[in-house]
Amino acid sequence: MERLSTTEATRARMSGQRSRDTGIEVALRRELHKLGLRYRVHRRPLRAVRREADVVFGPSKVAVFVDGCFWHGCPDHATWPKRNGEFWRAKIEANRTRDANTDVVLAEAGWLSVRVWEHERPEVAAARVHEAVTSRR
């Protein structure tokens, strides 16, 4: 694979990005727990599909995905890097396509996908998730 042209500072910052247990994920889980919900963390809703949800409510068939504004192309906060722009645009668009496909595949299997943006307040997102879970019980 061709190495991208980037600075050491950028390389270090991007390498340090967590893919699980991010601040927003932990805050969301804390709020969900306060609301009395119990869940599984970082599980595949469907074993046959290699896509992991951040929070899974098995009995209710609700899968929660916490999406980073940069990595998933938030319509409000996404930025398009100037350096290696083609690479990043292709990567982010592929993430968006995969996310949409995941939602469709889960829906076909009777699951509800709930997408939470990293910029959302955890209390607000937790209330939305709570409503989705309790409505499916």
Side-chain angles (χ1 to χ4, degrees):
M1 184 162 93
E2 183 180 331
R3 188 177 177 125
L4 293 176
S5 170
T6 188
T7 65
E8 277 304 315
T10 300
R11 183 174 291 109
R13 187 175 64 250
M14 295 307 248
S15 295
Q17 292 291 315
R18 297 182 72 136
S19 62
R20 58 189 305 160
D21 299 328
T22 62
I24 184 61
E25 281 182 42
V26 172
L28 175 64
R29 293 194 314 241
R30 189 176 300 120
E31 292 299 322
L32 293 170
H33 197 271
K34 280 183 195 177
L35 293 172
L37 296 176
R38 301 302 177 257
Y39 46 82
R40 300 285 183 203
V41 178
H42 297 287
R43 296 277 173 102
R44 290 182 187 180
L46 300 173
R47 289 181 192 213
V49 180
R50 288 191 53 210
R51 308 225 176 111
E52 191 176 88
D54 298 304
V55 181
V56 176
F57 298 91
S60 302
K61 290 191 172 185
V62 174
V64 180
F65 298 89
V66 180
D67 294 338
C69 290
F70 174 77
W71 297 104
H72 296 268
C74 171
D76 297 331
H77 301 106
T79 57
W80 299 106
K82 291 182 178 89
R83 185 182 291 244
N84 301 311
E86 282 184 40
F87 169 83
W88 287 111
R89 185 168 292 276
K91 178 156 185 62
I92 293 166
E93 290 299 334
N95 288 347
R96 290 170 133 176
T97 300
R98 185 192 63 234
D99 293 345
N101 176 261
T102 298
D103 294 348
V104 168
V105 168
L106 290 178
E108 288 172 350
W111 284 76
L112 173 66
S113 294
V114 177
R115 298 261 167 201
V116 175
W117 287 107
E118 73 174 323
H119 68 262
E120 287 186 68
R121 290 186 29 230
E123 311 82 37
V124 174
R128 197 160 43 91
V129 172
H130 182 268
E131 182 180 328
V133 171
T134 57
S135 72
R136 293 176 63 95
R137 285 188 176 156

